[in-house]
C-alpha cells in the first residue's frame, strides 16, 4: 500500500489539471492519486483519462451528474486507505518537496493529526510564483488544538487544502466535510482534525493557490463582512458539534468570537477612514452584534496580538493616505 493518498476534485478545471497533477507526481513520495471529476462540461474527464493512461498511480472517478464539491471531498475520504491523506483542488499546485517534508514530520511526531505549511497566492495571469527551495529539515512548531483553533480566528497566512497533510485514521474519525459550509468548510475541518491531535506547522511554503476568478471563494473577495460572517459560521458549526464536547470548547469559543468582533471593528474603522461609509457601518454593526462592548470602547488590545501588527498598521495608513490624496487632489481629464 502506498504511503499517501491524494484526492483531486475537479469541476471545469481541465485547463489546470495537467499542471496540478504534474506538481503531485513529481513529489518524492509513494502515492496513489484519485481524480474526481464532478460532471465537468469542459473536457476535464477526457484530460483525466489521458493522464491516467500515462501513469498507473492515477485512478479516476468520473461522475455523470454534478453532485457538488463536498461530495467530491467526501468521496476522497471514503477512498483513502493509506496512512496519510491530502485533498488538492485541480486548480492548485503542490510546492516542490512539500510531501517529503510533511511525511517526515508526521512519521516523527506520532501525536500530530496534521502537518501544514504556508501557501502562496498565484494571481492569474501573472507567472506562477516559485517558492524558495528548502534544503534539509525545516523548523517545525507543534501547536495544540485549542491554540490552533484560536489562531485561525486571527489574521494569518491562509492554510489551503493543498497545504496540509493529515493522518488518514484521524480523517476517517472526524468524518466528512459539511455541505452547509460552502466557503469555510476546510477551516471547520481543520478544527475538527486538531481536536484529536496537535498540528505541526512547518516554516516552508507547501502549496500554491491559483486565483483566477472562478474559485469557489471568489464571491467573498473584497467583501470583509461576508468573509467574517463565513468565518464565524465555521467556528459556530464546530463549537455547536464536536467542539461542545471538549473542556476547552466554551473558553475558546468566547475568545474566537471576540477576535472576529475585533477584526470586524478595525476593518470598519479602516473602511470609514477611506470613505467607504456603507461598508464601514455594516462591519461595525456586525462587530457590535458579536461583542456589544466594542460599541463603547475600541478593542485596542487586539492590535498587540496580530501577527506582524506593525505591517498591518502601516498598510492601513498607506491605504488611508492614498484615499485621502485621491479625495483632495482628484484626477481630472
Amino acid at each position: 500500500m502506498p504511503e499517501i493518498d491524494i484526492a483531486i476534485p475537479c469541476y471545469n478545471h481541465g485547463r489546470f489539471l495537467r499542471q496540478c497533477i504534474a506538481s503531485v507526481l513529481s513529489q518524492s513520495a509513494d502515492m496513489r492519486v484519485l481524480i474526481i471529476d464532478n460532471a465537468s462540461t469542459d473536457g476535464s474527464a477526457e484530460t483525466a483519462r489521458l493522464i491516467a493512461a500515462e501513469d498507473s498511480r492515477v485512478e479516476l472517478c468520473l461522475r455523470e451528474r454534478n453532485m457538488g464539491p463536498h461530495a467530491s471531498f467526501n468521496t476522497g475520504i471514503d477512498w483513502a486507505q493509506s496512512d496519510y491523506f491530502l485533498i488538492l483542488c485541480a486548480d492548485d499546485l503542490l510546492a516542490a518537496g512539500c510531501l517529503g517534508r510533511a511525511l517526515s514530520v508526521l512519521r516523527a511526531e506520532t501525536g500530530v493529526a496534521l502537518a501544514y505549511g504556508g501557501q502562496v497566492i498565484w494571481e492569474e495571469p501573472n507567472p506562477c510564483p516559485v517558492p524558495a527551495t528548502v534544503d534539509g529539515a525545516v523548523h517545525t512548531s507543534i501547536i495544540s488544538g485549542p491554540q490552533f483553533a484560536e489562531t485561525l480566528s486571527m489574521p494569518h497566512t491562509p492554510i489551503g487544502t493543498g497545504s496540509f497533510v493529515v493522518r488518514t485514521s484521524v480523517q476517517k474519525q472526524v468524518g466528512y466535510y459539511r455541505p452547509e459550509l460552502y466557503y469555510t468548510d476546510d477551516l471547520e475541518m481543520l478544527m475538527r482534525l486538531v481536536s484529536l491531535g496537535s498540528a505541526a506547522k512547518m516554516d516552508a511554503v507547501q502549496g500554491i493557490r491559483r486565483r483566477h476568478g472562478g474559485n469557489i471563494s471568489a464571491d467573498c473577495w473584497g467583501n470583509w463582512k461576508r468573509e467574517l460572517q463565513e468565518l464565524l459560521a465555521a467556528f459556530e458549526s464546530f463549537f455547536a458539534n464536536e467542539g461542545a464536547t471538549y473542556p476547552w470548547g466554551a473558553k475558546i469559543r468566547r475568545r474566537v468570537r471576540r477576535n472576529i468582533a475585533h477584526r470586524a471593528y478595525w476593518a470598519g474603522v479602516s473602511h470609514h477612514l477611506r470613505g467607504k461609509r456603507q461598508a464601514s457601518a455594516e462591519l461595525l454593526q456586525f462587530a457590535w452584534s458579536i461583542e456589544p462592548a466594542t460599541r463603547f470602547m475600541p478593542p485596542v488590545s487586539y492590535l498587540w496580538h496580530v501577527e506582524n501588527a506593525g505591517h498591518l498598521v502601516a498598510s492601513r495608513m498607506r491605504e488611508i493616505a492614498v484615499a485621502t490624496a485621491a479625495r483632495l487632489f482628484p484626477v481630472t481629464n
Side-chain angles (χ1 to χ4, degrees):
M1 177 64 64
E3 189 172 20
I4 183 169
D5 290 329
I6 301 169
I8 302 183
C10 179
Y11 177 67
N12 285 347
H13 284 161
R15 64 194 184 280
F16 307 134
L17 192 53
R18 276 200 174 275
Q19 191 176 21
C20 171
I21 293 291
S23 78
V24 173
L25 297 179
S26 63
Q27 303 283 323
S28 57
D30 188 10
M31 69 179 73
R32 289 192 310 160
V33 178
L34 178 66
I35 300 174
I36 308 167
D37 185 68
N38 206 12
S40 295
T41 59
D42 69 340
S44 292
E46 289 73 15
T47 300
R49 289 189 184 97
L50 291 172
I51 293 171
E54 296 164 3
D55 197 305
S56 61
R57 293 174 291 177
V58 179
E59 303 175 15
L60 302 179
C61 174
L62 307 179
R63 293 203 176 97
E64 296 183 358
R65 179 172 62 88
N66 188 328
M67 299 173 64
H70 295 85
S72 296
F73 302 156
N74 296 334
T75 292
I77 293 172
D78 285 336
W79 165 78
Q81 299 177 28
S82 299
D83 289 338
Y84 307 107
F85 177 59
L86 166 69
I87 294 177
L88 176 67
C89 292
D91 51 346
D92 295 335
L93 308 174
L94 295 184
C98 77
L99 292 186
R101 290 189 288 272
L103 295 177
S104 177
V105 170
L106 288 165
R107 294 186 205 108
E109 301 287 347
T110 57
V112 162
L114 63 91
Y116 75 100
Q119 69 172 8
V120 294
I121 304 298
W122 177 7
E123 298 278 4
E124 286 201 324
N126 296 324
C128 179
V130 179
T133 301
V134 178
D135 295 321
V138 297
H139 179 264
T140 303
S141 305
I142 306 302
I143 306 172
S144 69
Q147 180 187 358
F148 186 74
E150 186 173 1
T151 298
L152 290 178
S153 68
M154 298 288 284
H156 64 279
T157 302
I159 305 171
T161 49
S163 302
F164 63 90
V165 178
V166 308
R167 293 190 191 278
T168 304
S169 59
V170 176
Q171 180 68 76
K172 299 279 190 182
Q173 189 172 347
V174 301
Y176 295 140
Y177 285 79
R178 293 190 166 121
E180 61 269 23
L181 297 170
Y182 193 70
Y183 298 103
T184 51
D185 52 342
D186 53 346
L187 184 144
E188 192 267 353
M189 177 58 76
L190 281 168
M191 289 186 290
R192 277 194 274 158
L193 290 165
V194 298
S195 68
L196 297 183
S198 302
K201 179 182 179 181
M202 298 171 289
D203 288 343
V205 172
Q206 291 290 94
I208 300 172
R209 184 181 182 188
R210 190 193 311 250
R211 290 181 59 159
H212 50 83
N215 307 79
I216 288 177
S217 58
D219 289 345
C220 291
W221 296 347
N223 186 335
W224 276 95
K225 181 184 175 184
R226 177 73 181 278
E227 287 194 21
L228 293 173
Q229 284 176 321
E230 297 292 343
L231 180 66
L232 180 61
F235 281 106
E236 295 292 72
S237 174
F238 171 71
F239 288 115
N241 293 283
E242 292 81 2
T245 66
Y246 296 99
W248 47 266
K251 179 178 71 174
I252 298 300
R253 178 176 181 266
R254 289 193 298 271
R255 290 181 179 177
V256 162
R257 289 177 61 85
R258 176 201 63 196
N259 291 342
I260 293 173
H262 292 181
R263 288 178 69 176
Y265 178 91
W266 288 112
V269 169
S270 175
H271 278 64
H272 178 82
L273 292 172
R274 286 179 287 163
K276 300 180 178 181
R277 302 302 169 83
Q278 180 62 35
S280 170
E282 292 177 355
L283 282 161
L284 291 173
Q285 289 288 346
F286 180 58
W288 298 337
S289 71
I290 303 171
E291 187 173 346
T294 56
R295 184 185 291 270
F296 309 104
M297 183 177 296
V300 176
S301 62
Y302 166 83
L303 298 175
W304 310 122
H305 299 286
V306 177
E307 288 185 10
N308 300 317
H311 174 75
L312 177 65
V313 172
S315 296
R316 293 292 175 266
M317 293 300 293
R318 285 195 297 270
E319 292 171 359
I320 292 166
V322 170
T324 301
R327 290 197 299 271
L328 293 176
F329 307 104
V331 176
T332 58
N333 294 326

